Amino acid sequence: MPTLSVILITRNEEANLADCLASLEGIAQQIVVVDTNSTDRTLEIAKMHGALVSQPADWPGFGPQKNRALDLATGDWVLSLDADERLTPALKSEILTAIHHSAHVNCFAIPRLSWYCGRFIRHSGWSPDYVDRLFKRGTARFSDDLVHERLLPDGQVAKLENPMLHYSFMDFSQVLQKIDRYSTASAEQAYAKGKRSSPLKAILHGAWAFIRTYFIRAGFLDGQQGLALAISNAEGSYYRYMKIWLIQNQVEK
């Protein structure tokens, strides 16, 4: 019988983790949590659900941290989750079928239905949002990216049908916090890879992010949340390129 390990990386996820781990009931033989200096009840909640917990002293970035969690997994299959994601009963059933009857498939992409400040977003470039998350242990690793890491599978990738639920943005305070955090990390990563910017580039990229989200990707069909999402995408892109410009001014002056 194939076994399944679920891996998560956390940092102050008290608000999300209990619901995430509860959604794993009946499917996971092992839960691995690699935590970064949580000061809330994250570790307590993880241990209450029987998770194997590791807390390294440093933060190497999202990709390397997920590889640390992967190195602790012992199951035949591995499912990578974020603390703000949930499995539905239909998806759990489909996952169990997949790992028991997939001799020639090493990796499965799972569609993700994401929540933004009051509703699930079904357009705006957010749906369908397939993410490679379920794979045979030993056939994939995560990229070393500091942010926006991706799974690098070896072999065929098939798609599951039932979505996981992603409670990504519950309110606008969370939106602003994530915009700031992710724009900083992505700017540092982009600068290290040779990208340069200017205020004009930042404005143009921000404008394009709004047009792409709201018009090209039909964000207007997501109602008021679609408009708000297009604006926040524009802000995220603008701040990313402004932060690249600030970094190059500090480093290259």
Side-chain angles (χ1 to χ4, degrees), residues 81-109:
L81 284 183
D82 293 336
D84 58 2
E85 295 171 340
R86 315 280 184 268
L87 302 189
T88 64
L91 177 56
K92 288 198 289 186
S93 178
E94 189 177 13
I95 288 173
L96 289 174
T97 299
I99 66 176
H100 283 84
H101 304 284
S102 56
H104 304 294
V105 179
N106 291 335
C107 181
F108 288 93

Side-chain angles (χ1 to χ4, degrees), residues 186-204:
S186 61
E188 292 171 350
Q189 180 172 285
Y191 180 81
K193 292 182 177 180
K195 188 176 289 293
R196 299 297 182 265
S197 186
S198 68
L200 178 59
K201 283 186 178 181
I203 292 170
L204 293 175

Side-chain angles (χ1 to χ4, degrees), residues 68-81:
R68 286 173 169 173
L70 179 56
D71 289 338
L72 296 173
T74 59
D76 302 307
W77 286 80
V78 177
L79 173 64
S80 174
L81 284 183

Side-chain angles (χ1 to χ4, degrees), residues 161-173:
E161 295 182 0
N162 292 284
M164 72 170 70
L165 304 181
H166 182 208
Y167 291 94
S168 48
F169 296 102
M170 302 304 293
D171 55 42
F172 284 104
S173 292

